[in-house]
Amino acid sequence: MSIEIGNISKYYGEQKALDKINLTINSGEVAGLVGPNGAGKSTLMKIITCFIPPSEGQVYVNGLNVSEQSIDVRKQIGYLPENNPLYDDMYVREYLDFVAGIRKIKNPGQRIEEIIETTGLTPEQNKKIGNLSKGYKQRAGVAQALLSDPDVLILDEPTAGLDPNQLVEIRNLIKNIGKEKTILLSTHIMQEVEAVCDRVIIINNGQVVADDAPGNISKERDNAIITVEFDSNVQAAALKAIKGVKNVKQAAPTTWVIESDTGVDIRSALFQFAVKQDMTILSLNKEAEKLEEVFHRLTQNKK
Ligand code: ADP
């Protein structure tokens, strides 16, 4: 149930969209592909799902080569394309029946019942797609992707345009599905990755610029920001004199925000400082760099 992406490049004429991408998405992983608009997310997804060929490199889905065994690969993949193209004039059941026919699904009636239930479409199952809310349309898109019970799900911007309630519902749905399947989803919302993914892959200008668990990526801040509250007044100059302290800012009468030099952990020095001054530290908080900040740092001004 794995996806192996080996040295993939893609050119649209002169335009380079992907630049030597190497990735392995393991069985059972929910991986989030994030990057600014134009980073190459959709292009990578279209290559994995056999919609367009790579210019260079190979992709294997469950050991099958997407260029040479595309029919077999497609059977193993459920794909929700960007903008979720649906037939507005079809009823939900009619649409799923239509997709089941195209995919030659055995016992389509039973499978459609299961999928309607899994994706929470039950209350809207007898409506026309055109009359569904955006959230239910997304569910219908996920339902068609899941219909053939694929091992691998590729979801291109599955939560684009949803309101906050619909967002939570679709994220929960993806998380549930992810317990059994390998999922690669794209988004430009970092909270989404934190909410649903075990792994975040940041791409920028067609290259992978970070690839790790969301928690590990956000710990990568070089210079820590520490907020410390003492039980009495402190002089800025005294704090600045501590080895490893780069900057200090007073946030409240006895609360200071301290930036340390790159790679230096000043917490124990701060405690020693407090002891020497006969003071107590009431609270001390080390801020990790937020995932959004990591994203911004890795993807800005690189064109
Ligand atoms: P993302 O999904 O991250 O927004 P895309 O994969 O859609 O990025 O696009 C990557 C780059 O390739 C962009 O510069 C985009 O303009 C270009 N691109 C995408 N599709 C085409 C196409 N069919 N023809 C020409 N250029 C394209």
Side-chain angles (χ1 to χ4, degrees), residues 14-163:
E14 294 281 289
Q15 168 80 43
K16 187 186 258 189
L18 296 175
D19 186 6
K20 300 191 181 72
I21 299 265
N22 284 292
L23 285 171
T24 301
I25 319 277
N26 297 310
S27 173
E29 250 179 352
V30 180
L33 194 59
V34 291
N37 282 334
K41 305 180 293 294
S42 294
T43 299
L44 186 59
M45 292 184 147
K46 284 181 199 159
I47 291 173
I48 299 169
T49 50
C50 313
F51 275 83
I52 55 172
S55 306
E56 285 159 23
Q58 302 293 336
V59 176
Y60 293 88
V61 174
N62 293 346
L64 300 169
N65 187 314
V66 299
S67 306
E68 289 159 15
Q69 294 153 289
S70 65
I71 293 173
D72 293 327
V73 170
R74 280 175 197 233
K75 284 186 190 156
Q76 318 225 359
I77 291 185
Y79 178 36
L80 175 68
E82 200 180 8
N83 302 322
N84 186 15
L86 295 168
Y87 296 98
D88 275 356
D89 287 332
M90 281 191 176
Y91 290 89
V92 171
R93 280 177 172 278
E94 188 188 10
Y95 170 65
L96 293 175
D97 203 44
F98 169 72
V99 176
I102 294 175
R103 305 237 179 96
K104 301 190 174 65
I105 287 163
K106 290 183 195 125
N107 271 334
Q110 192 191 334
R111 182 66 189 148
I112 289 169
E113 291 305 321
E114 285 168 15
I115 284 301
I116 284 179
E117 165 112 37
T118 314
T119 53
L121 273 167
T122 310
E124 306 290 283
Q125 59 183 313
N126 296 315
K127 283 195 181 166
K128 262 191 180 176
I129 288 176
N131 294 335
L132 297 179
S133 68
K134 180 95 176 115
Y136 277 101
K137 279 188 182 163
Q138 284 307 90
R139 286 169 194 259
V142 174
Q144 67 75 24
L146 280 174
L147 211 52
S148 59
D149 198 17
D151 290 337
V152 174
L153 263 191
I154 309 286
L155 309 173
D156 199 350
E157 302 262 358
T159 58
L162 299 185
D163 74 29

Side-chain angles (χ1 to χ4, degrees), residues 224-262:
I225 305 286
I226 287 174
T227 305
V228 56
E229 184 185 1
F230 299 99
D231 66 343
S232 49
N233 293 330
V234 186
Q235 295 300 315
L239 284 174
K240 266 198 177 155
I242 297 171
K243 196 162 179 259
V245 171
K246 189 171 169 193
N247 257 318
V248 302
K249 214 172 79 192
Q250 194 168 16
T254 57
T255 303
W256 294 80
V257 178
I258 302 174
E259 185 185 349
S260 64
D261 286 331
T262 303

